[in-house]
Amino acid sequence: MRLAYLDCSSGISGDMTVAALVDAGVDPQAILAGIDSLGLPGVRLEFVPVMRCAFRALHLRITHPEQHAHRHLADIRAIVERGRLQTRQKQLALGIFQEIAQAEATVHGTTVDRIHFHEVGAIDSIVDIIGAAIGFDLLGVDQVVSSPIPTGRGQVLIAHGVCTVPTPGTAELLKGIPLVDVPVNLELTTPTGAAILKTVVDRFGPLPSMTIERIGHGAGTKDLKDRANMLRILVGETADVGQQTDEVILLETNLDDVPGEIVGYTCQRLLAAGALDVFTQPLQMKKDRPGLLLSVIARPGDQRRLEEIVFAETQTLGIRHSRLQRTTRSRASVSVDTPWGALTGKVSRLAGGTVFTAEYEACAQVARQFAIPLRDVYRAAEQGFAQLLPAIVEQAFTPPPAPPASAVLPTGHDHGHDHGHDHGHDHSHSHDHGHDHSHDHGHDHGHDHGHDHGHS
């Protein structure tokens, strides 16, 4: 399986992402062509080799005429739709903007259609997001994994005033994403960077087992003294095709005064609400009272919702929680023929081949309908799987092919000169994020989105 790993040890912004994708092998002309097709007047891009803390990286510079438009989501959609982009590129770009709109609507108490973009509606951030969508499409990976994310520290000035890092919109976007504290008084992760993570990353965790083929480094504008201010993308093949790792939350509480039917009902509610697994174990509690340990395994983003269910149903006074790394086998759904019709099941990969497991509910329904032992249905399903051609099994693991990339580079915009738009992370309002973005209109950006955000 082809994989891209985002090493966000110095944070992430849109311009760093685009530069890293190009440095990792994405054709810059394809990104320039896509941006040109949007019909944004006077926009120019340049990819410039720079040094960050003595390490080489690629830096994206954008220049454009000064503009003060505050765009709504409908305006952004119109810009994306008029561009000559592949379908998946448009979907990725619109997905990123939708995440930002939803976050902004939540923090401002309004709807996505009424929200108007400030920093992320600026030309440079529009270019960053659409460029990242094109880049990830052309990168051609099956899965994107990311390290935990540093937000940085301190305060920044945005359109709504001075805010603590992470700003409200960025914090909303980072819900469910593991964070790590990096003691830098700058905004390391911008709203654009957080929205890209929310849209394209499949899971978060340490560097997976993989064979690295290409590495890309995307620089922010500021050259920090104690760390390389850049995003690193590692692209390659997973070393263990049949395994992958991710991060889950373990919720636990001890119960000694809850009736069994309440515990059973709580388990059913938790599973229906998205828990990955729920189970109980007998305990000997204080004062020699028998009790139960209720354990819930869940995705990080589901923690709050599942805790509310446990509190409401069991009346427990406390829930312990911890983050765990787990390793899972790659799996896919298949349909097999049996004497009673087709049955569904899951096939997973191991080093020595594949393992098939029939779906319990499908088998139980057949057993009840035809009044036959359940074990006979399982055996018939396994025999049906053994008759499947290897090509059919492999096809179940194969993702649909990506649409071909456009090879046409429209003319009309000058690319490849110093456009004076010095951008490390830019959002058009003055968050100097340590990835200093500038329009060479007098705005210095570091991870900043159009205006200098005050962390010089």
Side-chain angles (χ1 to χ4, degrees):
M1 179 171 63
R2 193 159 182 76
L3 181 143
Y5 184 75
L6 306 183
D7 175 9
C8 303
S9 56
S10 294
I12 181 172
S13 69
D15 59 295
M16 293 172 76
T17 304
V18 178
L21 288 165
V22 169
D23 200 43
V26 171
D27 182 7
Q29 294 302 311
I31 293 179
L32 299 178
I35 300 303
D36 270 347
S37 73
L38 303 175
L40 301 173
V43 175
R44 298 187 299 174
L45 284 73
E46 182 182 13
F47 295 97
V48 183
V50 296
M51 300 298 291
R52 292 292 176 263
C53 204
F55 293 100
R56 185 208 64 83
L58 200 63
H59 178 54
L60 170 63
R61 290 180 181 172
I62 302 175
T63 189
H64 57 79
E66 195 70 53
Q67 49 89 43
H68 303 283
H70 286 168
R71 298 175 174 86
H72 290 77
L73 184 58
D75 303 318
I76 299 293
R77 287 196 189 106
I79 292 173
V80 175
E81 290 295 344
R82 75 184 178 220
R84 290 191 292 276
L85 309 177
Q86 299 297 325
T87 300
R88 185 167 182 267
Q89 295 166 6
K90 288 184 178 181
Q91 291 173 343
L92 278 175
L94 291 173
I96 296 169
F97 281 115
Q98 182 70 32
E99 291 288 353
I100 296 170
Q102 186 60 62
E104 292 294 330
T106 298
V107 299
H108 293 298
T110 184
T111 63
V112 294
D113 292 326
R114 297 184 63 184
I115 198 75
H116 61 273
F117 295 98
H118 292 289
E119 289 89 348
V120 186
I123 291 293
D124 48 0
S125 293
I126 292 173
V127 170
D128 288 344
I129 290 172
I130 296 177
I134 296 171
F136 275 109
D137 177 47
L138 298 181
L139 193 62
V141 297
D142 304 308
Q143 193 174 77
V144 179
V145 184
S146 174
S147 67
I149 307 302
T151 63
R153 296 178 178 180
Q155 294 182 322
V156 293
L157 176 63
I158 64 173
H160 302 286
V162 176
C163 290
T164 299
V165 173
T167 60
T170 303
E172 185 69 26
L173 286 162
L174 291 173
K175 278 184 176 178
I177 293 176
L179 305 181
V180 62
D181 180 39
V182 171
V184 175
N185 287 322
L186 296 170
E187 184 182 38
L188 297 179
T189 295
T190 65
T192 299
I196 291 171
L197 292 171
K198 194 87 170 181
T199 306
V200 307
V201 173
D202 297 290
R203 56 191 173 92
F204 293 84
L207 180 67
S209 298
M210 64 183 295
T211 301
I212 299 173
E213 297 175 358
R214 289 180 287 163
I215 302 175
H217 300 88
T221 296
K222 289 199 171 184
D223 191 6
L224 305 179
K225 293 182 179 179
D226 62 343
R227 67 187 63 246
N229 183 18
M230 60 190 185
L231 169 70
R232 183 170 61 160
I233 296 181
L234 297 89
V235 182
E237 294 286 337
T238 53
D240 295 318
V241 175
Q243 296 182 351
Q244 58 188 16
T245 60
D246 64 357
E247 188 173 71
V248 293
I249 294 290
L250 174 63
L251 308 177
E252 292 184 327
T253 187
N254 295 356
L255 306 173
D256 64 358
D257 58 354
V258 181
E261 61 268 25
I262 297 297
V263 175
Y265 178 74
T266 302
C267 293
Q268 293 173 4
R269 278 202 65 190
L270 290 166
L271 289 170
L276 299 173
D277 197 7
V278 181
F279 54 95
T280 61
Q281 302 175 63
L283 290 177
Q284 191 71 27
M285 298 178 63
K286 61 185 179 182
K287 299 181 181 178
D288 293 326
R289 290 181 298 191
L292 288 174
L293 171 63
L294 174 64
S295 300
V296 184
I297 298 176
R299 299 177 183 87
D302 295 334
Q303 177 179 348
R304 181 64 58 84
R305 182 172 69 254
L306 298 178
E307 285 181 338
E308 290 174 353
I309 293 173
V310 175
F311 278 126
E313 296 293 347
T314 69
Q315 301 295 300
T316 185
L317 297 178
I319 300 172
R320 302 180 296 277
H321 56 85
S322 57
R323 288 184 180 268
L324 304 175
Q325 295 290 328
R326 66 171 184 171
T327 301
T328 59
R329 297 205 307 259
S330 298
R331 66 198 75 178
S333 295
V334 295
S335 178
V336 299
D337 291 329
T338 73
W340 309 282
L343 286 176
T344 56
K346 283 189 171 58
V347 57
S348 58
R349 283 175 164 170
L350 289 175
T354 57
V355 175
F356 171 76
T357 305
E359 293 286 1
Y360 164 76
E361 292 293 347
C363 292
Q365 182 178 352
V366 168
R368 288 190 294 264
Q369 180 180 353
F370 294 94
I372 55 178
L374 180 60
R375 68 179 62 188
D376 291 348
V377 182
Y378 271 109
R379 287 170 181 162
E382 291 169 358
Q383 292 171 0
F385 175 74
Q387 295 171 5
L388 288 181
L389 295 175
I392 295 177
V393 177
E394 184 62 30
Q395 185 178 6
F397 288 95
T398 304
S406 172
V408 179
L409 177 62
T411 59
H413 295 294
D414 182 14
H415 300 292
H417 304 288
D418 187 350
H419 313 296
H421 198 149
D422 192 12
H423 194 78
H425 277 198
D426 180 55
H427 295 293
S428 156
H429 274 279
S430 180
H431 317 277
D432 189 354
H433 312 229
H435 303 274
D436 190 18
H437 274 350
S438 223
H439 299 167
D440 268 17
H441 307 301
H443 303 206
D444 187 17
H445 336 220
H447 270 204
D448 161 283
H449 302 281
H451 299 241
D452 193 274
H453 290 255
H455 295 299
S456 300

